[in-house]
Structures are given as C-alpha cells and as structure tokens.
DNA sequence: TTCCAGGCAATAC
DNA sequence: GTATTGCATGGA
C-alpha cells in the first residue's frame, strides 16, 4: 500500500485535525493560517519541547498555567523567575530538564529568531533538548517549513503495514514519506499536507496503537 | 495498582 | 554506531 493511500483513508475517517493547537483558539480544522503572530510561533516552539514524551493534555496544562498569568510570550516569560517558570511547566513532566532546555532555546530565540528569522534544522539540532522530531515539529508547525515529523506512532503504523521495519532510520522514513508527497502535491501544498498527515497518524494511533498488541482493530487501513 | 504519554542526553560498550 | 537508563506528572 502506498503511504499516500493511508493518508487519504485517515483523512476520510477522522477529518481535518487542526494542528497545532493554539491557546485561546484550540484546534483549528481546515484553517492552515496559523500561527498568525510571533507570540503564536513562540508558543508552538514551547509546546514542542513540553510535549516531548508527554501527553498533550499535560503539556497544555503548562501552557495554560503560563497563559493564566499572562506570560505566554517571549518577553513576558523572560521576566519570570526561574522558580516561577519551573512551577508553571511542572505538569509537563521532566520539568527540570525541560527548564534547562528551554533556557537555551530562549537565548537562541533572543539572538536569532526575534526578528522573524527562520531557524535552520541544523541550528535547532545543535540546541540541547532538540532531536530530529522536535526540530521537525518546530519547523513544520511553528515555521511552516516542509519537514515531515517521524514519531513513534508513525513507526508503529508503518511497521504494521510492512512498509518499514524496526531498524529503519528516522531519515529513511522521512524520505520515504516526503518522496510520495512530493510526487502527489504541489510545493505550496506540502506543508499543509504534512501537518495534516502527522496529526492524523497521532489520532489514529491513539485509537488503535496504544495497548499491545499494536495495531489490532485498525481495519480502516 | 499499573501502564502510558505527540523524546532527548548521557553513558557504556 | 547500538543499547540502556534517568528524567519524574497526571489520566485512564
């Protein structure tokens, strides 16, 4: 089966997912115009760190905490004490680590991103706490760059469909998917479709790939 | 109670 | 380069 076909079937079954959720707006299905403001770009970057190996509901609690004290922008967060910021992001798990990671990101943001610059993938990967998945998440959702995100759910589903195996590398999986999408869609459509496909894989995995054995019941594919 | 979340870095070999 | 482990909250 072609990966594009999986995408089409997921779209038909679940509909547009409206990722990445934004504070005070939430998910925004069929509206690919976000982020619209610098503060929303910043917020997505923050969320990409906070949701690492953490449920979105927990990451969102951290975002909500910051929003409640009116500190969900770079300039406002900068003014928080270390202790207060840690307290706010505590629900997002590994908060001491993520605090350290984010401090480095804020310095990078201050120096390189404040003037509407777009980070390179390499720059992001050089930051502490940013691996391939987080780098691609920031690029795809915050900066609308055509970089597909390979996560554990993507792997589980593609392994189940016998399209890859457990040792296929991140880059190989990413190339496999991007090649099919590049053949199918125009350049301007790639970002929206990458955003949608990744969100759909997560949604589908939540239904059928959480408990062992992986993939039982996903007859939709 | 146990299991699992929209990973990454440090370490060991 | 591959395998293992620490990180350390909250909901199902």
């Amino acid at each position: 089966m072609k990966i594009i076909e999986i995408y089409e079937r997921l779209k038909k079954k679940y509909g547009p997912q409206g990722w990445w959720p934004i504070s005070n707006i939430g998910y925004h299905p069929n509206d690919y115009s976000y982020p619209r403001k610098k503060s929303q770009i910043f917020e997505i970057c923050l969320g990409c760190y906070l949701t690492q190996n953490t449920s979105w509901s927990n990451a969102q609690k951290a975002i909500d905490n910051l929003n409640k004290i009116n500190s969900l922008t770079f300039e406002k967060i900068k003014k928080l004490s270390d202790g207060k910021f840690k307290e706010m992001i505590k629900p997002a798990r590994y908060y001491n680590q993520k605090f350290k990671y984010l401090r480095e990101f804020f310095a990078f943001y201050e120096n390189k991103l404040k003037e509407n610059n777009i980070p390179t993938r390499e720059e992001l990967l050089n930051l502490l706490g940013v691996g391939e998945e987080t780098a691609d998440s920031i690029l795809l959702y915050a900066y609308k760059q055509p970089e597909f995100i390979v996560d554990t759910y993507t792997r589980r589903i593609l392994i189940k469909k016998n399209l890859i195996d457990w040792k296929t590398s991140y880059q190989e999986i990413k190339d496999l998917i991007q090649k099919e999408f590049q053949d199918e869609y125009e350049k301007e459509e790639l970002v929206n479709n990458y955003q949608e496909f990744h969100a759909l894989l997560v949604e589908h995995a939540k239904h059928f790939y959480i408990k062992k054995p992986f993939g039982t019941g996903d007859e939709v594919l």
Side-chain angles (χ1 to χ4, degrees), chain A residues 121 136 147-148 170-178:
Chain A
R121 193 168 192 269
D136 287 334
E147 303 281 351
F148 191 74
Y170 185 100
Q171 193 60 46
E172 285 177 313
I173 299 170
K174 183 173 170 179
D175 288 344
L176 200 65
I177 294 170
Q178 293 196 161

Side-chain angles (χ1 to χ4, degrees), chain A residues 64-215:
Chain A
D64 289 346
N65 282 343
L66 290 164
N67 198 21
K68 268 184 234 161
I69 61 169
N70 192 28
S71 298
L72 195 51
T73 65
F74 173 67
E75 299 298 335
K76 297 280 186 56
I77 267 182
K78 211 168 52 171
K79 291 179 181 159
L80 295 180
S81 69
D82 292 355
K84 186 67 175 175
F85 183 56
K86 261 192 199 179
E87 182 190 331
M88 295 297 98
I89 66 170
K90 198 166 183 179
R93 209 171 169 222
Y94 315 133
Y95 59 93
N96 285 309
Q97 277 196 348
K98 287 176 179 176
F99 170 75
K100 199 165 69 177
Y101 295 168
L102 284 168
R103 284 197 39 182
E104 189 177 323
F105 176 74
F106 295 157
F108 175 67
Y109 188 90
E110 173 100 67
N111 294 327
K112 303 273 186 174
L113 300 181
K114 254 193 339 195
E115 307 304 326
N116 296 322
N117 295 323
I118 297 174
T120 66
R121 193 168 192 269
E122 192 177 4
E123 283 174 327
L124 292 172
L125 289 173
N126 282 332
L127 295 171
L128 189 66
V130 178
E132 299 196 275
E133 184 178 339
T134 304
D136 287 334
S137 299
I138 289 172
L139 289 169
L140 181 61
Y141 287 106
Y143 290 95
K144 298 184 148 189
Q145 301 303 297
E147 303 281 351
F148 191 74
I149 302 161
V150 178
D151 69 339
T152 55
Y153 293 147
T154 307
R155 291 175 186 278
R156 287 182 196 178
I157 292 171
L158 295 187
I159 287 171
K160 181 71 192 302
K161 304 310 291 179
N162 287 317
L163 291 168
I164 60 170
D165 58 65
W166 55 273
K167 61 180 161 71
T168 311
S169 73
Y170 185 100
Q171 193 60 46
E172 285 177 313
I173 299 170
K174 183 173 170 179
D175 288 344
L176 200 65
I177 294 170
Q178 293 196 161
K179 269 176 196 154
E180 277 199 33
F181 274 67
Q182 284 161 8
D183 287 343
E184 185 78 12
Y185 299 104
E186 301 298 327
K187 255 184 193 158
E188 316 73 73
E189 301 176 309
L190 282 176
V191 168
N192 295 356
N193 284 293
Y194 287 165
Q195 289 185 346
E196 201 61 77
F197 187 35
H198 173 68
L200 285 165
L201 287 169
V202 172
E203 179 62 22
H204 183 63
K206 281 176 178 169
H207 285 263
F208 299 111
Y209 286 78
I210 300 299
K211 288 178 181 172
K212 289 180 280 188
F214 291 154

